[in-house]
Amino acid sequence: MPQPLIGAVIGCGFFAQNQLHAWADLPGARIVALCDRDAVRLAETAARFDIARTYADAEAMFAAERLDFVDIATTVASHRPLVEMAARAGVHVICQKPFAANMADARAMVAAVEAAGKTLMVHENFRWQSAVRRVIEIVRSGELGEVFFGRVSFRSGFDVFSGQPYLAEGKRFIIEDLGIHTLDIARALFGDVVRMAATTRRINPAIKGEDVATMLLSHGSGATSVVDCSYATQRSPETFPESLIEIDGNKGSLRLDAGYRLVLADRVEDLSPPVLAWASRPWHNIQESVLIIQRHFLACIAAGIQPETSGKDNLQTLALVEAAYLSAAEGRMVELAAQ
Ligand code: NAD
Ligand code: 89V
């Protein structure tokens, strides 16, 4: 059995708890240190996961610890300084989405970790949800033939603001926070995008950003897809946090319906994800994907290969986010360049 990789987690907030549970489930990693500027969160998380060494300052942590990797679980504003610090410390990096607030920061982070000769993966976990993964496998197997149409849809009225109050405060909301996942799923299914158009709306008057977005994508593969997301949709049953998918190919069609029900021409598959011991509904779908993506990170380091959701790959997803905001602001189709 190879020695586990030694890691640290920066950011002990709402979502990091899932990441720490997943690391504890993975024999290939051992988290030895935690960092957070918030002393209460830091102490509570250290006690919950029995992690002895804690730091209020990431620079101090990198100076004191001998790490193989760092997991950055903070919100976007801190990503660039922390990723660049990790690159200077010569450790592998996994960083939460949204990876960067702009393309320049994203490119700088990719370049810094590349120059250090280390692995950089973005925690872009929606394409790693087991139901979505099954759909990706079917498309990549060629079973549907040449795909000409797709839809990736996330519509919900779930209150995400109580757990993540910062989501109500930003000028940007649903495309940057959630659409980024659904756009990434569309890329995983249909390939990179050559042009796109988007419209946005804000329905909830209590938040600052847009909570509805509808996007039309032309993929280089020839497929057209619609990616739509909303946190202003009153559904029954509520489907948070499921991404519903429809795909048409010249040899067949599929639908990933509500309730993780996959329908192909001649069969139905129940793709309900497991509820891991530390997980709870309705988040169990996302929580399972955290375990899967973190396992992928360790496997890629062991094999010396780039993760599927590497920093470099994520530049294409971030470019779609930027293009969507530009298209919505200017009311026009936006061309995408290769990143
Ligand atoms: P949060 O505000 O609850 O937690 C962030 C923590 O980071 C806070 O405790 C804060 O004190 C700490 N922090 C910030 N900057 C720091 C720094 N420079 N040094 C040390 N500590 C610092 O946020 P959250 O809801 O846990 O979200 C974190 C990230 O995870 C966000 O980017 C969010 O978009 C992402 N997220 C991803 C998913 C997913 O499914 N992939 C789900 C939820 C949130
Ligand atoms: O997945 C996320 O990034 C979360 C949520 C599901 C609430 O949008 O912020």
Side-chain angles (χ1 to χ4, degrees), residues 10-16 19 35-38 41 56 58 73-76 78-79 82 96-98 123 125-126 163-164 166 177 181 283 286:
I10 306 178
C12 297
F14 172 76
F15 203 71
Q19 292 166 230
C35 171
D36 199 300
R37 296 192 293 219
D38 181 321
R41 283 182 156 184
T74 60
T75 43
V76 68
S78 52
H79 289 176
L82 291 173
Q96 258 299 347
K97 52 59 65 179
H123 191 123
N125 53 326
F126 271 40
Q164 297 165 263
Y166 57 90
D177 182 68
H181 290 307
W283 287 90
I286 291 180

Side-chain angles (χ1 to χ4, degrees), residues 24 39 53 59 64 70 76 79 83 95 101 124 178 194 247 258 265-266 276 303 312 322-323:
R53 298 198 293 279
E59 199 85 65
V70 67
V76 68
H79 289 176
V83 169
C95 179
E124 179 41 79
L178 185 278
V194 289
I247 304 175
D266 56 347
L276 298 174
K312 196 163 181 201
E322 292 303 325

Side-chain angles (χ1 to χ4, degrees), residues 84-106:
E84 289 179 340
M85 214 182 275
R88 286 195 297 277
V91 302
H92 301 295
V93 184
I94 171 169
C95 179
Q96 258 299 347
K97 52 59 65 179
F99 180 40
N102 57 64
M103 294 304 298
D105 281 357

Side-chain angles (χ1 to χ4, degrees), residues 36-241:
D36 199 300
R37 296 192 293 219
D38 181 321
V40 174
R41 283 182 156 184
L42 183 62
E44 282 176 0
T45 307
R48 185 171 304 124
F49 293 95
D50 196 19
I51 295 169
R53 298 198 293 279
T54 59
Y55 300 84
D57 175 49
E59 199 85 65
M61 183 181 78
F62 283 118
E65 299 289 335
R66 290 183 70 81
L67 301 172
D68 297 309
F69 75 94
V70 67
D71 183 2
I72 298 172
T74 60
T75 43
V76 68
S78 52
H79 289 176
R80 181 169 175 183
L82 291 173
V83 169
E84 289 179 340
M85 214 182 275
R88 286 195 297 277
V91 302
H92 301 295
V93 184
I94 171 169
C95 179
Q96 258 299 347
K97 52 59 65 179
F99 180 40
N102 57 64
M103 294 304 298
D105 281 357
R107 288 195 194 98
M109 288 187 275
V110 169
V113 181
E114 209 169 88
K118 295 292 167 182
T119 297
L120 170 60
M121 185 174 89
V122 177
H123 191 123
E124 179 41 79
N125 53 326
F126 271 40
R127 69 159 79 179
W128 293 100
Q129 292 170 8
S130 50
V132 173
R133 207 66 208 164
R134 175 80 185 113
V135 174
I136 292 170
E137 275 166 18
I138 291 169
V139 169
R140 290 184 184 171
S141 76
E143 184 178 339
L144 304 181
E146 187 190 333
V147 169
F148 58 88
F149 173 80
R151 179 177 179 202
V152 183
S153 179
F154 184 108
R155 311 193 76 76
S156 169
F158 188 82
D159 170 24
V160 288
F161 307 107
S162 54
Q164 297 165 263
Y166 57 90
L167 294 178
E169 296 304 321
K171 230 174 74 191
R172 293 177 166 190
F173 169 40
I174 199 166
I175 299 175
E176 183 179 83
D177 182 68
L178 185 278
I180 197 166
H181 290 307
T182 43
L183 288 166
D184 190 70
I185 292 174
R187 283 190 55 237
L189 287 169
F190 315 122
D192 280 327
V193 175
V194 289
R195 70 188 69 83
M196 71 117 68
T199 61
T200 56
R201 288 284 306 271
R202 177 166 58 86
I203 303 299
N204 179 350
I207 67 170
K208 294 207 176 88
E210 83 292 349
D211 52 3
V212 178
T214 310
M215 296 166 270
L216 177 69
L217 315 182
S218 271
H219 297 263
S221 62
T224 298
S225 70
V226 176
V227 175
D228 57 292
C229 44
S230 164
Y231 272 126
T233 299
Q234 295 156 42
R235 288 173 79 94
S236 184
E238 170 57 70
T239 49
F240 179 88

